[in-house]
Amino acid sequence: MRELSVKTDSKIVLLVLDGLGGLPIDPSGQTELEAADAPNLDSLAARSDLGLSRPVAAGVSPGSGPAHLALFGYNPLRHVVGRGVLGALGVGFDLGEHDLAARINFATLDESGKISDRRAGRVPSEKGAELVENLNKNVKLDSAEVFITHEKEYRAVAVFRGAGLSEALTDTDPQRVGLEPLPVKPTDGSPEAEKSAALANAFVEQANEVLADRHPANTVLLRGFGMNPALPSFEEIYELDAAAIASYPMYKGLARLVGMELLKEGEGIAGEFETLRENWDRHDFFFVHVKPTDAAGEDGDFERKARVVEEVDAQVPGLLDLGPDALAITGDHATPAKLKSHSWHGVPFLLSSPYTLPTAESFGERACAGGSLGVFPGEEIMGLLMGHALKLNRYGA
Amino acid sequence: MRELSVKTDSKIVLLVLDGLGGLPIDPSGQTELEAADAPNLDSLAARSDLGLSRPVAAGVSPGSGPAHLALFGYNPLRHVVGRGVLGALGVGFDLGEHDLAARINFATLDESGKISDRRAGRVPSEKGAELVENLNKNVKLDSAEVFITHEKEYRAVAVFRGAGLSEALTDTDPQRVGLEPLPVKPTDGSPEAEKSAALANAFVEQANEVLADRHPANTVLLRGFGMNPALPSFEEIYELDAAAIASYPMYKGLARLVGMELLKEGEGIAGEFETLRENWDRHDFFFVHVKPTDAAGEDGDFERKARVVEEVDAQVPGLLDLGPDALAITGDHATPAKLKSHSWHGVPFLLSSPYTLPTAESFGERACAGGSLGVFPGEEIMGLLMGHALKLNRYGA
């Protein structure tokens, strides 16, 4: 891809409705997308290439990290990105090559030292920010610097900066109340992991002292240790000047990981599309991330998920007015309301360009299953977009 | 494949309509193949397995080299064949394992040493042959032999034969008029590439002297340096005694590269099928290459491309009368008239044998998209043909 990519004036939009893939509640019924009243998407589908994409592997439900890496054209089995890394990038932390990141939850310890609330009563964001400031001021480690950045409410991110760190570490969060926090342990025998575990445990110890009288936020739980995987950027691979419009930190983090510029999103779905319009002339690739489809699926709310699709549908004419040369509308994975969780099912995929072979009259999982792209790995999406935008040289004589 | 292949009496035909894959001009319309009035292909499709094949990778438009390697079952990303190699094999040159080949264009230099015509006014073939003879007689290199073979008009092929040569070389052809020819440069730091670059530059210098008064053909441009990739032959991999019927040098070259015997083709498409009939008893695999579909696509001539399909359609009954045990009809890649070039789109694929699972009533891209073979890599075609011809042993107990 690197050898074939060429810089041109054409523009690509990758519109991701998080968790778009769905299932009928009764097998004979319709999926969320099929049930949605989405005339603009349907009429676009009738002029588009359709297919069902598979994010990671047969039967495997991907997390948001691997699912987006696949969407961006990176092999999600080869490139593993710790949740801490996504968190750090998501809050805008400039993660260096040797930095070790972890997610922090402020939490509550009872008098016996057991966790009574893994979210510290969902402390408000204002309070969370103050706690973070407090930690940054008072925690000092011997062998590394530590930077804590607040995310939202009870959530923050810690980044350890020093020589010879490793991400081969276990979490302190036991994922259940009524248990004591776990010590961080190395998962391999390397001296780097030993050192990093000691560092993380020293951090927790000091944080506990600093937070001792801040009940309910009197401790921190650490999880998702990870280091920057140093992925080659969109610029390097595709010669694209890519921008991202996403309202949730993790997706911003994923976009930054591959070198996309983060655009300040507006309010809600309409606001994201407004941002797209305002920045249309400044980039040649736009990743637009819509979260509420996934949230509705996770809540098991079939109707709400369909309504989010309808809300996006209303934005389609404006999007098409911008004149993208290649436009993909898809999800990162399936989140069927029926399952109330991410799933392994095929993800509906629509690609609009002047060079398509339409096969159906509507946008839906079954229409996509019979499409000209068939069932295909999500990792191929970027190649398809680059081809349809005429941004790839011919391969071989 | 090598371990499973068995020699049997069954016969396979791989009929390639170059650039067969197409697109509707308007998305709601028909493709070239769908629009063609091809009753024999349609009725064959109704008894065949159908699918859409992908030659190289998602979004990637393949050149003829990689596209045919995939058709023949070789991984086109692993096996790279320089254009010079295809040219040499295409003119029937017996390319040794260590030979270095390059394409030659006779071209015109103006008085200031800049290229004024990259094709030397398209010198007629007779004149081109005389120029080649002249070069062969008068150019003598110190460290290697050089053989020049005429192809057609202004085109020829140079083969350098000597120890320690390398294909890691840049072209002299700047691909534009008004520029000076470029010196050949090594693209890696190896002594072989240094030596080969010096050799090629010495060749150009001598050729310029020999051609000095032969305006408009007063220089040569070299491009596509390549060495024989020494692919395992069809005989070795498939135990097939394979023959090729192709009218264009490059496709003859590709066939020779995998050890096929070149049969003397008759006149036009009908002549190729006549050759097939005449040689039917002598081989158990036939690659038949029909070029004009691609040429029509490259010209953007939708109607002409459909008419070429119709011309092939008229040959289908005669072909079936021969009784091939497994017959594939497909393209090497797509060349939609709409794009006037090779493209990345799926290639319609039809496989006729007694052991098929038909899914449609006609041969076309959309019928193939919904076929029992789905969308699949072109590299798998040989395996399918071998299976349908009952030439593969069971794998495992």
Side-chain angles (χ1 to χ4, degrees), chain B residues 278-292:
Chain B
E278 285 163 8
N279 290 276
W280 187 249
D281 295 335
R282 300 198 192 100
H283 298 274
D284 52 16
F285 180 95
F286 297 89
F287 160 55
V288 182
H289 183 265
V290 172
K291 179 69 179 171

Side-chain angles (χ1 to χ4, degrees), chain A residues 164-245:
Chain A
L165 299 182
S166 161
E167 64 186 4
L169 302 173
T170 62
D171 297 346
T172 76
D173 186 349
Q175 299 279 350
R176 276 173 50 199
V177 295
L179 299 175
E180 288 180 22
L182 304 166
V184 177
K185 288 185 190 160
T187 58
D188 65 24
S190 69
E192 289 81 6
E194 296 275 356
K195 172 182 169 174
S196 303
L199 194 68
N201 287 322
F203 170 75
V204 172
E205 199 177 319
Q206 286 195 38
N208 283 347
E209 284 168 27
V210 172
L211 299 173
D213 60 352
R214 306 301 293 250
H215 190 279
N218 61 357
T219 194
V220 290
L221 299 174
L222 299 183
R223 64 199 161 94
F225 286 95
M227 300 185 74
N228 191 334
L231 297 172
S233 73
F234 258 45
E235 175 77 40
E236 289 172 79
I237 302 174
Y238 306 116
E239 307 240 5
L240 289 172
D241 177 6
I245 302 169

Side-chain angles (χ1 to χ4, degrees), chain A residues 93-107:
Chain A
F93 191 90
D94 196 8
L95 201 66
E97 210 180 322
H98 306 296
D99 291 351
L100 171 65
R103 302 288 300 255
I104 290 181
N105 269 19
F106 289 106

Side-chain angles (χ1 to χ4, degrees), chain B residues 230-242:
Chain B
L231 297 172
S233 73
F234 258 45
E235 175 76 42
E236 289 172 80
I237 303 174
Y238 306 115
E239 308 239 8
L240 289 171
D241 176 6

